[in-house]
Amino acid sequence: MLDWEKIYATRAKRMGASEIRELLKLLDQPDIISFAGGIPDPALFPNEAFQAAYNDILSGPEAGQALQYSVSEGYPRLREWIVKRMRARGIDADLGNIFITSGSQQALDYLGKLMLSPGDTALVSWPTYLGALQAFNAYEPRYDRLDLSRNVEPQAYAAAAERAGSRVKFAYLSADFANPTGESLTPMEREKLLDIADALDIAVIEDAAYRALRYEGERQKTLLAMDCERSGGIENTRTLYCGSFSKTLSPGLRVGWVCAATPIIKRLVLAKQAADLHSPTINQMAIARVAEADFEDQAEKINTVYRERRDAMLKALSDYMPAGVDWTRPEGGMFVWLTLPESMDAAALLPVSLKTAKVAFVPGNAFYADGSGRNHLRLSFSCSAPEVIDEGIRRLGAVLTEELAAVA
Amino acid sequence: MLDWEKIYATRAKRMGASEIRELLKLLDQPDIISFAGGIPDPALFPNEAFQAAYNDILSGPEAGQALQYSVSEGYPRLREWIVKRMRARGIDADLGNIFITSGSQQALDYLGKLMLSPGDTALVSWPTYLGALQAFNAYEPRYDRLDLSRNVEPQAYAAAAERAGSRVKFAYLSADFANPTGESLTPMEREKLLDIADALDIAVIEDAAYRALRYEGERQKTLLAMDCERSGGIENTRTLYCGSFSKTLSPGLRVGWVCAATPIIKRLVLAKQAADLHSPTINQMAIARVAEADFEDQAEKINTVYRERRDAMLKALSDYMPAGVDWTRPEGGMFVWLTLPESMDAAALLPVSLKTAKVAFVPGNAFYADGSGRNHLRLSFSCSAPEVIDEGIRRLGAVLTEELAAVA
């Protein structure tokens, strides 16, 4: 019998099970109020529009093309739609700047694959999207903390990398409604990030997965749009914009995209050709049809529902949370991020909450590259009705009140 | 402006453009008879069955699940169908032994990712599937030639690897109707391969993409089935069976699978979770429905058509090829592999053939890990009617006759 451990590459050591994903499997039980998931509400999916789209595709002249092998860069009609959308955001993109991926998770995988040799440094925020760490981990990077709230000299990142025998390859972050905090970068922080990237001469991966989910406030410029302005056009930019239809139309179809300068788009196309040939054409065709006909209406529909749920969660937090607990007030996205007193450990709190309150959340340490952040937790409001949110937060508030009393 | 070359990982050097794939883009012109592609005939796709399947899914109780995030291992109902099929082939597989991929290309990518550290050795046949080389190249392996026609001592592979500071991780090959030769391993060669793998204590990647396309002769045991017999059950095997629906139902939906022992299946699930979360659920649901209802009929339908085309190609080759040219007589698959006299170079011949005969093929060197094999070429019969095949081979025969006369 083969000892599989002996046969694995060194990178396999860092491709372990994610605590949080294992956890999520256990948390979705019917009698539990779960704020743990970070998924769209399936009741909001445009099922009928998709049904009409698949029918149209498979009964029409594109049926053969829908089921056949295709080009790695993606379905041109969908890429055209994306071009228009990017242009409306001040980005001078053309068809050659758009690359279709199987969700933005795949974009992160391919970008890690293209840029990270073992030991290379990726700058990420503390906390950051867990799935980005998982995607990059397969390429054995070193992480350093990108902190835009303090005045860190750009060269400090380079110097720290050099001391570790490494070099910085890119900064990764979500500028709008980040997972897990729900927060967005201010315009000044966006400029600062691009200043750092310029000074270090590195790439920037802009994860825009939640960008369309805005419930209040003014739309901010994307990092890529700012980069275009600063550098004189998309071909001079260093920003790799990763978009997704997962939060707006459907995550199950796995359709996302990268918008960037053509040299790296060409590399991504080659990476995809070698890795899975192309994303399923039929789903790209369906997304193109539904996006063309319904994108704005669909975005408005989900934003109306999610806004109400966010409001319900913020109100409930303010009604039920004990003193000493703080939280973010996101203008969009799916998450609120709680900060407990330093002495508390959200991972230890979870079983208590599940048992006594039947409320689930995700402990914060999962989102830290160094496993710190134990006094934080993530709540998602996307899949619960306002009255359920109120009840769940009331119960969680009671648990926290009791725990804080025990600590005091 | 960022110098992208400076930012890439070392592996990016080996993720270059494939000559052949670039070539294929040029060859599909309407006035050319192309034997270059290696794709199914889209006229044979079960469009109506797929249309009914997508309708059924999106109008029924699974609509929400079809469009939602899902588990990385794949849609259970499809995995159940695959389990039954593998069991009918003498493999004692269970649900935990089946992992769904986005086509078998993705299986090759993930298996390379899991097993190959830079410099590790992969044993491949000379020639082998170009896409496998592309998938593995991203993990910077060394290749050695797996030759089952000669009596190579297993330890010779280990010794050669050791001399290169490397170790052998796996052998990759297609036992049935291989791309590019169309040939299959004999039962004795299959045993020999498993003997070698046992002796070296390495894994075997069995690429079964063409297995369902048999036009004559007896079905052979898969390597995995033989491995099960030899080792006492699937949990003791070292063979990673990569299956695909691309050649039978549809390549565009990108659905394939791996059947193997559970320890490596679990690793593959983690790799996928980090790389693209899961393959699109709706396509897995559609494939499950069409496979359950129509797989055998569909296989029979395409085999009838492809058999006729293979027969037409073999007859035309025998009618028109000059002395000195030899070719394989495959019992299945999509390809016939020509061997020209040693002095000839198929890559140099291609422009001549395109210009004077308007016939396209793929030069053989693309399929050799070391770029040798220049006196071979690959012909695909899958997409041309018998009379077109006859005309194309007649013209190609004339070109070769002329070239041979010039050489002589």
Side-chain angles (χ1 to χ4, degrees):
Chain A
M1 189 173 154
L2 184 59
D3 177 3
W4 291 102
E5 295 298 323
K6 269 174 42 191
I7 228 84
Y8 295 141
T10 57
R11 73 175 67 80
K13 283 193 205 75
R14 291 183 61 176
M15 295 165 69
S18 145
E19 267 179 59
I20 175 188
R21 293 203 200 268
E22 294 306 307
L23 201 66
L24 289 178
K25 288 184 190 169
L26 303 174
L27 298 183
D28 277 332
Q29 290 160 16
D31 64 330
I32 283 180
I33 297 179
S34 179
F35 302 129
I39 62 178
D41 186 338
L44 300 172
F45 293 150
N47 296 10
E48 283 169 28
F50 277 118
Q51 193 183 355
Y54 282 98
N55 251 325
D56 179 53
I57 295 160
L58 287 168
S59 62
E62 288 190 312
Q65 191 192 334
L67 300 177
Q68 184 58 286
Y69 285 115
S70 188
V71 293
S72 304
E73 48 268 48
Y75 177 56
R77 182 168 153 188
L78 176 60
R79 291 161 67 220
E80 287 286 6
W81 186 88
I82 295 167
V83 162
K84 276 189 210 133
R85 195 165 171 85
M86 300 309 290
R87 284 192 185 157
R89 302 285 174 271
I91 293 156
D92 63 323
D94 224 322
L95 212 58
N97 300 110
I98 310 294
F99 166 65
I100 303 293
T101 57
S102 292
S104 60
Q105 187 69 29
Q106 188 175 66
L108 301 179
D109 177 44
Y110 289 169
L111 290 170
K113 193 175 190 177
L114 262 182
M115 295 194 276
L116 294 171
S117 282
D120 281 349
T121 294
L123 303 180
V124 298
S125 50
W126 246 236
T128 191
Y129 169 50
L130 167 69
L133 298 177
Q134 288 189 301
F136 301 151
N137 278 346
Y139 307 106
E140 304 170 86
R142 168 186 176 270
Y143 294 108
D144 197 4
R145 178 180 189 166
L146 176 68
D147 190 350
L148 298 171
S149 66
R150 294 182 306 135
N151 271 324
V152 180
E153 273 301 304
Q155 290 313 324
Y157 295 109
E162 207 175 324
R163 280 194 303 275
S166 172
R167 50 184 291 233
V168 185
K169 286 298 187 74
F170 60 75
Y172 162 82
L173 93 179
S174 186
D176 298 281
F177 324 127
N179 180 356
T181 66
E183 291 190 315
S184 302
L185 298 189
T186 63
M188 205 179 295
E189 285 170 332
R190 288 169 203 243
E191 291 287 0
K192 197 183 203 177
L193 173 63
L194 290 173
D195 288 344
I196 292 170
D198 280 346
L200 297 174
D201 202 19
I202 60 172
V204 173
I205 301 179
E206 176 176 22
D207 185 339
Y210 296 92
R211 187 172 160 83
L213 307 184
R214 174 174 286 283
Y215 317 133
E216 68 171 273
E218 292 246 327
R219 199 158 63 200
Q220 301 289 318
K221 277 184 196 158
T222 65
L223 291 166
L224 179 57
M226 290 172 70
D227 196 353
C228 285
E229 278 177 21
R230 289 162 59 119
S231 65
I234 191 164
E235 293 307 332
N236 301 320
T237 59
R238 58 179 74 251
T239 303
L240 310 158
Y241 179 100
C242 302
S244 173
F245 292 99
S246 292
K247 313 303 189 243
T248 47
L249 300 185
S250 157
L253 301 190
R254 314 299 306 124
V255 182
W257 73 91
V258 178
C259 178
T262 48
I264 190 150
I265 293 290
K266 285 183 185 164
R267 288 289 189 153
L268 286 166
V269 171
L270 294 176
K272 190 164 179 65
Q273 196 179 76
D276 69 4
L277 302 183
H278 63 86
S279 292
T281 317
I282 196 167
N283 301 347
Q284 299 182 55
M285 289 175 165
I287 289 275
R289 280 160 172 77
V290 175
E292 285 166 7
D294 292 326
F295 190 87
E296 297 305 335
D297 288 351
Q298 175 68 13
E300 198 179 310
K301 179 174 103 176
I302 61 178
N303 281 348
T304 303
V305 173
Y306 290 159
R307 181 186 297 115
E308 202 185 13
R309 293 176 182 179
R310 178 206 60 162
D311 291 346
M313 184 165 275
L314 292 178
K315 178 169 187 309
L317 286 166
S318 126
D319 286 348
Y320 303 121
M321 281 297 137
V325 176
D326 199 9
W327 56 91
T328 56
R329 275 111 187 134
E331 294 186 337
M334 293 185 171
F335 305 108
V336 176
W337 180 245
L338 262 65
T339 302
L340 312 178
E342 287 275 356
S343 61
M344 292 187 77
D345 180 346
L349 193 70
L350 180 61
V352 181
S353 173
L354 283 171
K355 193 171 171 207
T356 66
K358 293 202 173 292
V359 170
F361 55 80
V362 179
N365 59 308
F367 304 97
Y368 286 76
D370 65 353
S372 65
R374 302 197 73 90
N375 64 319
H376 297 279
L377 61 88
R378 189 190 78 176
L379 301 174
S380 169
F381 51 79
S382 58
C383 282
S384 307
E387 58 278 13
V388 176
I389 290 175
D390 186 80
E391 172 62 16
I393 298 297
R394 190 187 63 72
R395 292 193 214 161
L396 182 63
V399 169
L400 282 167
T401 303
E402 194 155 325
E403 290 288 315
L404 274 167
V407 169
Chain B
M1 189 173 158
L2 183 59
D3 176 1
W4 291 102
E5 296 298 324
K6 269 176 39 194
I7 227 83
Y8 295 141
T10 57
R11 74 177 65 81
K13 282 193 205 76
R14 291 183 60 177
M15 297 164 68
S18 145
E19 266 179 58
I20 176 190
R21 293 201 200 268
E22 294 306 306
L23 201 66
L24 289 178
K25 287 184 190 169
L26 303 174
L27 297 184
D28 277 333
Q29 289 160 18
D31 64 330
I32 284 181
I33 297 180
S34 180
F35 303 128
I39 61 178
D41 186 339
L44 300 173
F45 294 150
N47 297 9
E48 282 169 29
F50 277 119
Q51 193 183 354
Y54 282 99
N55 252 324
D56 179 51
I57 295 160
L58 287 168
S59 61
E62 289 191 311
Q65 191 192 337
L67 301 176
Q68 184 58 287
Y69 284 115
S70 189
V71 294
S72 303
E73 47 267 49
Y75 176 55
R77 182 168 154 187
L78 176 60
R79 291 161 67 222
E80 287 286 6
W81 186 88
I82 295 167
V83 162
K84 277 188 211 134
R85 196 167 170 82
M86 300 309 290
R87 285 194 184 157
R89 301 285 172 274
I91 293 155
D92 62 322
D94 223 322
L95 212 58
N97 300 110
I98 309 295
F99 166 66
I100 303 293
T101 58
S102 292
S104 61
Q105 187 69 30
Q106 186 174 67
L108 301 179
D109 176 45
Y110 289 170
L111 289 170
K113 193 175 190 177
L114 261 183
M115 294 194 276
L116 294 171
S117 283
D120 281 348
T121 294
L123 302 181
V124 299
S125 50
W126 245 239
T128 191
Y129 168 51
L130 168 68
L133 298 177
Q134 288 188 301
F136 302 151
N137 277 346
Y139 308 106
E140 302 170 88
R142 167 185 175 270
Y143 294 108
D144 197 3
R145 178 181 188 168
L146 176 68
D147 191 348
L148 299 171
S149 68
R150 293 181 306 133
N151 272 323
V152 179
E153 274 301 304
Q155 291 312 326
Y157 295 109
E162 206 174 324
R163 280 194 304 276
S166 172
R167 50 185 291 233
V168 185
K169 288 295 188 74
F170 61 76
Y172 162 83
L173 93 178
S174 187
D176 298 282
F177 324 128
N179 180 358
T181 66
E183 289 189 315
S184 303
L185 298 189
T186 63
M188 204 180 296
E189 286 169 333
R190 287 169 205 242
E191 291 287 0
K192 197 186 209 173
L193 174 61
L194 291 173
D195 288 343
I196 293 171
D198 280 345
L200 297 174
D201 202 19
I202 60 171
V204 173
I205 301 178
E206 176 176 21
D207 185 339
Y210 296 93
R211 188 172 159 84
L213 308 184
R214 175 174 285 283
Y215 318 133
E216 69 173 271
E218 292 246 328
R219 199 158 62 199
Q220 300 291 317
K221 277 185 197 157
T222 65
L223 291 166
L224 179 56
M226 291 174 69
D227 196 352
C228 285
E229 278 176 23
R230 290 162 57 120
S231 65
I234 192 164
E235 293 308 331
N236 301 320
T237 58
R238 60 179 72 252
T239 303
L240 310 158
Y241 179 100
C242 301
S244 174
F245 292 99
S246 291
K247 314 304 187 233
T248 49
L249 300 185
S250 157
L253 301 191
R254 313 301 305 123
V255 182
W257 73 92
V258 178
C259 178
T262 46
I264 190 150
I265 293 291
K266 284 183 186 166
R267 288 290 189 151
L268 286 166
V269 171
L270 294 176
K272 189 164 180 66
Q273 195 179 77
D276 69 3
L277 302 184
H278 63 89
S279 291
T281 318
I282 195 167
N283 301 347
Q284 298 182 58
M285 289 175 166
I287 290 274
R289 280 160 173 77
V290 175
E292 284 165 6
D294 292 327
F295 190 86
E296 298 305 334
D297 288 352
Q298 175 67 13
E300 197 179 311
K301 180 173 103 177
I302 60 178
N303 281 350
T304 303
V305 173
Y306 290 160
R307 180 186 296 115
E308 201 185 15
R309 292 176 184 178
R310 180 206 59 163
D311 291 347
M313 184 165 275
L314 292 179
K315 178 172 187 308
L317 286 165
S318 128
D319 285 350
Y320 304 122
M321 281 297 137
V325 175
D326 198 7
W327 56 91
T328 56
R329 275 111 185 135
E331 295 187 337
M334 292 185 172
F335 306 108
V336 175
W337 179 247
L338 263 65
T339 302
L340 311 178
E342 287 275 357
S343 62
M344 291 187 77
D345 180 346
L349 193 71
L350 180 62
V352 181
S353 173
L354 282 171
K355 192 170 173 206
T356 66
K358 293 204 174 289
V359 170
F361 54 81
V362 179
N365 59 306
F367 304 98
Y368 286 75
D370 66 352
S372 66
R374 302 197 74 90
N375 64 319
H376 297 279
L377 60 89
R378 189 191 77 175
L379 300 174
S380 169
F381 51 79
S382 58
C383 282
S384 307
E387 57 278 14
V388 176
I389 290 174
D390 186 79
E391 173 63 15
I393 298 296
R394 190 188 62 73
R395 292 193 214 159
L396 182 62
V399 170
L400 282 167
T401 303
E402 195 155 323
E403 289 290 313
L404 275 167
V407 169

